Amino acid sequence: TPLSPLSNAVAISQGAMQSFYIMSTTSSLRYTNGVAEGDIHPSSIPGELTFFEGKGISGTFGSQYSPRVWNGIISYGLTAAESQTSSPSISPTNAPSTSPTETPTTSPTDHPTMSPTDHPTVLPTMFPTREPSGSPSNTPSSKPSGSPSTIPSSFPTASPSSLP
């Protein structure tokens, strides 16, 4: 079934998903039965376009039939990835930088590493670690523990506690 092209191009970022509702009031759309809704269809192009099996709907949001594969042509184009910087250079460079900057970024990455760094962070974290540290902290906490130790200490304190 020939359809008119979309009046405006739809920009889809790499890794994003976009679905389309295509409806014809003059004739029925062509489809084949799929294997499972959400499966990646063999006509997908690795690294460029992933085409998922979906569903067919009769009329305007009527009965649903699944899984369905739309039999049509998807016209698309790829654009070069654009990078954004906080202070762009006066003229563009011919190639990306081969070495990292001397100072850290002011915004964290969306994709953190899976392994720890070689040194701890300077600021405390918002959540405790799973394992206790090897040595106690140098400064006492501002309030007593909710679960005190059941083992007596080896050395008595210099002055008695004001708490029971």
Side-chain angles (χ1 to χ4, degrees):
T1 306
L3 298 173
S4 302
L6 297 175
S7 57
N8 293 319
V10 177
I12 304 169
S13 298
Q14 183 177 3
M17 295 179 86
Q18 178 71 45
S19 63
F20 294 91
Y21 176 77
I22 300 170
M23 184 176 135
S24 173
T25 56
T26 58
S27 62
S28 60
L29 297 174
R30 302 290 180 218
Y31 68 90
T32 52
N33 291 327
V35 177
E37 185 178 336
D39 273 8
I40 296 175
H41 194 265
S43 66
S44 295
I45 302 167
E48 287 187 23
L49 179 71
T50 304
F51 182 70
F52 293 92
E53 296 182 10
K55 63 177 69 176
I57 302 174
S58 65
T60 306
F61 300 103
S63 299
Q64 297 183 14
Y65 306 96
S66 175
R68 292 289 192 260
V69 177
W70 176 61
N71 292 348
I73 297 172
I74 300 173
S75 298
Y76 71 98
L78 301 176
T79 59
E82 296 180 22
S83 62
Q84 296 179 347
T85 59
S86 57
S87 57
S89 58
I90 295 182
S91 59
T93 59
N94 292 331
S97 172
T98 56
S99 60
T101 60
E102 293 293 323
T103 57
T105 181
T106 56
S107 59
T109 178
D110 288 335
H111 307 286
T113 60
M114 294 299 289
S115 57
T117 60
D118 293 334
H119 54 282
T121 60
V122 176
L123 299 174
T125 59
M126 297 298 291
F127 303 100
T129 59
R130 291 183 186 187
E131 300 293 325
S133 62
S135 60
S137 62
N138 291 332
T139 56
S141 59
S142 60
K143 54 185 180 175
S145 169
S147 55
S149 172
T150 57
I151 304 169
S153 63
S154 302
F155 304 98
T157 58
S159 59
S161 170
S162 62
L163 299 172

